[in-house]
Amino acid sequence: SGNVIISGQGTATQPIFVRGPSPTQKVKIPCATGVMGSYIIVENVDFDFTGKDIAFGFVDSDHVALRSSDVHGVRANSNGTVVVMQDSSDVVLYENSIFDNGDFSVAGELDIHGVGGSNVWRVWVLNNELYSNRGDSIQFGHNASNTLGDIYIAGNDMYDNGENSVDIKEASNVVISQNKLHGDNPLGNVVLHDCPINAAVIYNEIYDESVGVSMASLESGCAGSPVSLFVLKNDFHDIGETGVQGWGSGKRYFVAGNTFQSVATAI
């Protein structure tokens, strides 16, 4: 009935495992769950948060992972993140399903995001399925002043979210690669805005969208930081408005080697 705290100090050679029987036979945890410590792997769990305003989180942790698990059903009334990382490093999310979070019957912007964090470094988000999240599938760096970074988002399938598949703001050194990104909000499937220092969108398939990649201005908080954004070798198809768009000043945009098919305006 209360919160679940998983804590401990594992090592690289002796990590701590908290696991259900198998990826196809998951144990259910319906409570808010936090992981604190080092070298902890949580896997084969169904975090069934149906109708609740709760989350799964890594807090004050390092060398931790969530694998082969489901996180779903959150019905928060205000902004929030379902899988959140705070004051942590070396975090892996691998082969999870994060879905059906936030109330789509509510009009307007309701930022219930699938994955995000603050003051977190060296994060890999790999081979997950993220869909039907009321906000973004993944958002990093909101008002963060680049106090997080070294983030690798790859091999995921992201679709049918309320806003964007990936929204990167004030985060440093982000690579978004080899994902399938489709069926999201007209604002854009991948949004790079505010001050993401060195963000790259490479080798993705982006389709069934109004806008593929949007590199917005909003650079007032960059304070002279060198902002370079890369959109390289992606496959854009079936885009209703624009494949790649960017505007503003004080940033460098590199757009090269992409393919565009059935796109109203490529760049």
Side-chain angles (χ1 to χ4, degrees), residues 140-264:
F140 284 104
H142 182 71
N143 290 332
S145 300
N146 295 94
T147 56
L148 73 164
D150 302 337
I151 298 167
Y152 183 49
I153 299 167
N156 304 284
D157 189 4
M158 293 179 258
Y159 57 94
D160 293 346
N161 296 288
E163 294 184 35
N164 311 294
S165 285
V166 182
D167 186 350
I168 304 299
K169 298 182 179 180
E170 297 170 23
S172 300
N173 305 323
V174 180
V175 173
I176 303 160
S177 179
Q178 296 174 288
N179 303 282
K180 294 175 66 175
L181 312 168
H182 51 111
D184 288 315
N185 184 283
L187 294 174
N189 200 285
V190 177
V191 177
L192 308 174
H193 62 186
D194 294 350
C195 302
I197 298 175
N198 292 329
V201 183
I202 58 176
Y203 293 112
N204 300 279
E205 181 183 10
I206 302 175
Y207 60 99
D208 289 342
E209 296 292 337
S210 295
V211 177
V213 176
S214 182
M215 298 178 287
S217 53
L218 304 175
E219 72 276 1
S220 58
C222 296
S225 299
V227 176
S228 298
L229 306 179
F230 302 84
V231 182
L232 309 175
K233 297 193 174 183
N234 301 280
D235 178 13
F236 295 89
H237 62 90
D238 300 291
I239 304 290
E241 295 181 11
T242 308
V244 180
Q245 65 182 18
W247 62 89
S249 60
K251 297 182 178 181
R252 296 180 295 177
Y253 299 145
F254 300 85
V255 181
N258 302 282
T259 61
F260 300 90
Q261 182 177 2
S262 299
V263 177

Side-chain angles (χ1 to χ4, degrees), residues 33-251:
T33 302
V35 175
M36 304 175 67
S38 299
Y39 292 96
I40 302 172
I41 299 168
V42 178
E43 62 184 5
N44 306 335
V45 178
D46 177 13
F47 292 99
D48 186 350
F49 296 157
T50 300
K52 300 176 182 178
D53 185 358
I54 57 178
F56 173 91
F58 292 108
V59 182
D60 293 324
S61 56
D62 65 272
H63 299 92
V64 290
L66 177 67
R67 307 193 306 206
S68 301
S69 296
D70 299 337
V71 189
H72 61 99
V74 168
R75 290 297 182 268
N77 295 320
S78 59
N79 299 350
T81 302
V82 177
V83 177
V84 63
M85 309 158 218
Q86 182 176 343
D87 301 324
S88 297
S89 63
D90 302 288
V91 180
V92 174
L93 305 180
Y94 180 68
E95 290 192 345
N96 303 289
S97 292
I98 301 168
F99 63 96
D100 185 27
N101 295 299
D103 188 350
F104 277 80
S105 69
V106 176
E109 190 170 300
L110 183 63
D111 288 337
I112 308 301
H113 306 307
V115 173
S118 61
N119 192 28
V120 59
W121 295 90
R122 295 182 300 281
V123 177
W124 284 15
V125 184
L126 305 177
N127 297 6
N128 302 278
E129 186 177 21
L130 303 104
Y131 64 96
S132 296
N133 296 290
R134 183 61 178 80
D136 307 317
S137 271
I138 300 173
Q139 184 186 109
F140 284 104
H142 182 71
N143 290 332
S145 300
N146 295 94
T147 56
L148 73 164
D150 302 337
I151 298 167
Y152 183 49
I153 299 167
N156 304 284
D157 189 4
M158 293 179 258
Y159 57 94
D160 293 346
N161 296 288
E163 294 184 35
N164 311 294
S165 285
V166 182
D167 186 350
I168 304 299
K169 298 182 179 180
E170 297 170 23
S172 300
N173 305 323
V174 180
V175 173
I176 303 160
S177 179
Q178 296 174 288
N179 303 282
K180 294 175 66 175
L181 312 168
H182 51 111
D184 288 315
N185 184 283
L187 294 174
N189 200 285
V190 177
V191 177
L192 308 174
H193 62 186
D194 294 350
C195 302
I197 298 175
N198 292 329
V201 183
I202 58 176
Y203 293 112
N204 300 279
E205 181 183 10
I206 302 175
Y207 60 99
D208 289 342
E209 296 292 337
S210 295
V211 177
V213 176
S214 182
M215 298 178 287
S217 53
L218 304 175
E219 72 276 1
S220 58
C222 296
S225 299
V227 176
S228 298
L229 306 179
F230 302 84
V231 182
L232 309 175
K233 297 193 174 183
N234 301 280
D235 178 13
F236 295 89
H237 62 90
D238 300 291
I239 304 290
E241 295 181 11
T242 308
V244 180
Q245 65 182 18
W247 62 89
S249 60
K251 297 182 178 181

